[in-house]
Amino acid sequence: MTGPRILAVCGSLRTGSFNRKLLDLAVAHARALGADVDVVDLKEPGLPVYDGDVEAQGLPAPVQALRERLGKAQGLLIASPEYNSSIPGGLKNAIDWVSRPPSGLFKDKWTAMMGTTPGPFGTARMQPHLRQVLSAVGALVLPTQVHLARAAEAFTPEGKLKDEARMKEVDALVSALVSRLKS
């Protein structure tokens, strides 16, 4: 028997981003719990910027590939920074493409959200926007989330969290997602 299938996405495109480190920790825990995790690199697929004219000509291959990956997943794990207090463009673009035309691919998929920023808010301003968008496309978003502030000081050089209590928050969020997907 295989574990639940999770699609993991980092909202940051930057190499070595703090959110990629946070996602890596969460993915490792999900795999330790028996989940099959597919990690998407939004930089890799080469998704074009959403454009209705392009959509009218047919979905581009990178969009089709991402849709297939989401279609195989039972849930989502998202780690994302906030840009100008909201959702980063690359992440929003991916959601827009995959949800068009109303695809139902997000419908009833449990989603865990987390994020980290160098500043004091730890994505507390972005996550309500992301929750709203995900809810609009039919995803079920876990009521808890992780907001990690002061990212530059939060990680060891090896990419681990310095504060064990913060790591327990990440683990608890991932455990809640895996538990929902198993039920």
Side-chain angles (χ1 to χ4, degrees), residues 45 47 58-68:
L47 294 174
L59 296 177
V63 173
Q64 291 175 354
L66 186 56
R67 289 169 60 99
E68 286 174 19

Side-chain angles (χ1 to χ4, degrees), residues 100-115:
R100 299 274 315 152
S103 67
L105 287 171
F106 288 96
K107 184 161 178 50
D108 298 331
K109 288 193 195 296
W110 281 103
T111 304
M113 296 187 314
M114 60 186 164

Side-chain angles (χ1 to χ4, degrees), residues 132-150:
Q132 179 182 11
V133 169
L134 290 170
S135 295
V137 296
L140 304 170
V141 184
L142 290 174
T144 59
Q145 59 274 321
V146 173
H147 305 279
L148 182 63
R150 302 197 187 348

